[in-house]
Amino acid sequence: MKTEREKLAEVLRHLKTDDASLLGRGMTSSLYDIGGGRVLKIHNGRQEQDYLPQLQRFTEQLQRYSFPFAVPLIYEYGAVRDVHFHVERRLPGLDFAEVFPRLTAPERRSAIASFLDGLPPLHAVHLPHLPFGEPLNQVDETASDTWPNYLQARIEATLTQSYADLQEDLPEVDRIVERFYRELSDLPLRPQKCLVHGDYFPGNVLCDERGILTAVVDFSPLTLIGDPLMDLAGAYYFWRIYDFVTGADYEFLREQISARYGPRCWKRIDLYYTFYSLRFSDCKVPDNHTYRWSLRRLREL
């Protein structure tokens, strides 16, 4: 099996450049600055044949909208032997999750407000011609003509992979899943079909030194066409993966969400929190930290 260095060298030779500095590593890819306002993302696994071209088309479509922040644009994609990669525009800003811990209390409140400011422009993108579901998921695509049916179908698909783990770690899993399916009946069948980032949390936004939003990144197979309140579940509950977030931060974040979306929004947001906890229950081995985050929620039910 090739090392990361060998993969990088092969792709750089293909791109006819030797200038690359590591920007970060994730579960599925590594990101490098290759100069000229470009970054190179090398994917750890084999991408499905249609995924990268579809992702490129999607990022091109995003350029049609006048967002008050930068969004990705893929310039090219390809594969060198079995190493898949793409090159995209380098977006302005720093990792929000790295900047936020350094901020003062007043700066943290401004940063949280700016973080939430990123959602309405995304949700203003309406896509009525598409089904409810996952427009970028080529591996395990799930879609439906109604929103609750999509949510149930997605969890049913995930449980084919995670049910044995959940049975072992969560004896009441059947009761919890059945309750979740029942509560889906409280949702509107066909809410307005909005662009939902699907993974909106500090790790997927960039900001300046004061924590003010500059870019939204990492649209992915988690991106949805559906109810925009789905992103509020991530925007609030995904912060729980960080140990630098204080009780005051959570309180202000919750106050901001209630002020912007109304106090009644929490019933639906909490249901989507359960959705995400089941959605990410198939990662016990590759990402045990996220799996334990899921269990924490499910054990509350």
Side-chain angles (χ1 to χ4, degrees):
M1 181 178 293
K2 294 185 181 72
T3 66
E4 181 177 325
R5 184 183 296 272
E6 290 170 335
K7 292 179 180 179
L8 175 62
E10 287 188 348
V11 174
L12 292 179
R13 283 195 296 271
H14 173 79
L15 296 174
K16 296 181 172 57
T17 182
D18 56 5
D19 182 17
S21 58
L22 181 67
L23 294 174
R25 293 187 180 92
M27 281 188 60
T28 60
S29 62
S30 298
L31 189 67
Y32 299 87
D33 186 340
I34 57 174
R38 301 173 302 156
V39 295
L40 166 67
K41 181 173 284 190
I42 295 182
H43 300 275
N44 297 337
R46 184 184 183 280
Q47 296 297 299
E48 292 298 306
Q49 182 176 359
D50 295 332
Y51 175 65
L52 289 178
Q54 185 172 12
L55 183 61
Q56 182 186 45
R57 290 192 297 271
F58 178 80
T59 66
E60 291 172 344
Q61 291 167 358
L62 287 179
Q63 312 311 308
R64 302 174 184 174
Y65 302 95
S66 299
F67 298 116
F69 45 76
V71 292
L73 175 62
I74 293 178
Y75 294 133
E76 64 175 294
Y77 60 88
V80 181
R81 297 184 179 88
D82 59 345
V83 181
H84 289 251
F85 71 90
H86 74 261
V87 177
E88 63 181 76
R89 176 172 58 198
R90 176 149 192 188
L91 301 180
L94 307 167
D95 186 333
F96 188 95
E98 293 182 1
V99 172
F100 190 82
R102 304 196 295 264
L103 300 178
T104 65
E107 289 172 334
R108 283 181 174 226
R109 290 192 290 272
S110 295
I112 289 170
S114 182
F115 169 78
L116 291 176
D117 287 343
L119 287 175
L122 294 177
H123 300 157
V125 177
H126 298 154
L127 300 163
H129 61 289
L130 295 178
F132 293 105
E134 307 156 354
L136 296 174
N137 190 344
Q138 291 291 317
V139 177
D140 185 22
E141 182 179 4
T142 302
S144 177
D145 63 345
T146 72
W147 179 236
N149 282 354
Y150 156 72
L151 296 173
Q152 180 162 339
R154 162 45 55 208
I155 297 310
E156 288 174 345
T158 301
L159 288 174
T160 63
Q161 305 298 318
S162 66
Y163 185 71
D165 289 332
L166 288 174
Q167 268 193 317
E168 179 180 353
D169 298 320
L170 194 69
E172 295 187 318
V173 59
D174 290 332
R175 177 188 62 79
I176 292 167
V177 171
E178 289 172 5
R179 173 183 168 182
F180 172 73
Y181 291 160
R182 287 198 307 271
E183 291 179 346
L184 292 179
S185 63
D186 294 333
L187 297 175
L189 283 179
R190 294 179 177 84
Q192 191 166 44
K193 293 178 178 177
C194 298
L195 175 63
V196 177
H197 184 280
D199 197 16
Y200 194 82
F201 78 116
N204 281 337
V205 300
L206 305 180
C207 64
D208 64 18
E209 295 84 354
R210 300 168 300 147
I212 304 306
L213 183 71
T214 58
V216 175
V217 302
D218 204 21
F219 296 87
S220 72
L222 292 172
T223 296
L224 298 173
I225 307 302
D227 182 0
L229 285 184
M230 178 71 78
D231 271 336
L232 272 297
Y236 182 70
Y237 287 111
F238 289 177
W239 284 61
R240 289 188 173 182
I241 68 172
Y242 299 110
D243 57 10
F244 57 73
V245 181
T246 68
D249 295 329
Y250 279 126
E251 182 179 356
F252 184 75
L253 180 57
R254 191 175 185 93
E255 289 173 354
Q256 283 286 299
I257 292 173
S258 295
R260 295 170 186 230
Y261 296 90
R264 293 184 179 180
C265 70
W266 287 102
K267 181 179 180 181
R268 196 180 301 182
I269 289 172
D270 286 345
L271 181 59
Y272 294 153
Y273 180 22
T274 302
F275 168 84
Y276 274 122
S277 299
L278 293 168
R279 175 73 171 88
F280 295 149
S281 64
D282 60 352
C283 63
K284 183 175 183 178
V285 174
D287 185 4
N288 191 253
H289 184 69
T290 298
Y291 180 74
R292 285 185 282 110
W293 175 89
S294 295
L295 285 180
R296 176 183 174 183
R297 165 57 173 174
L298 297 175
R299 286 170 175 158
E300 295 172 349
L301 298 173

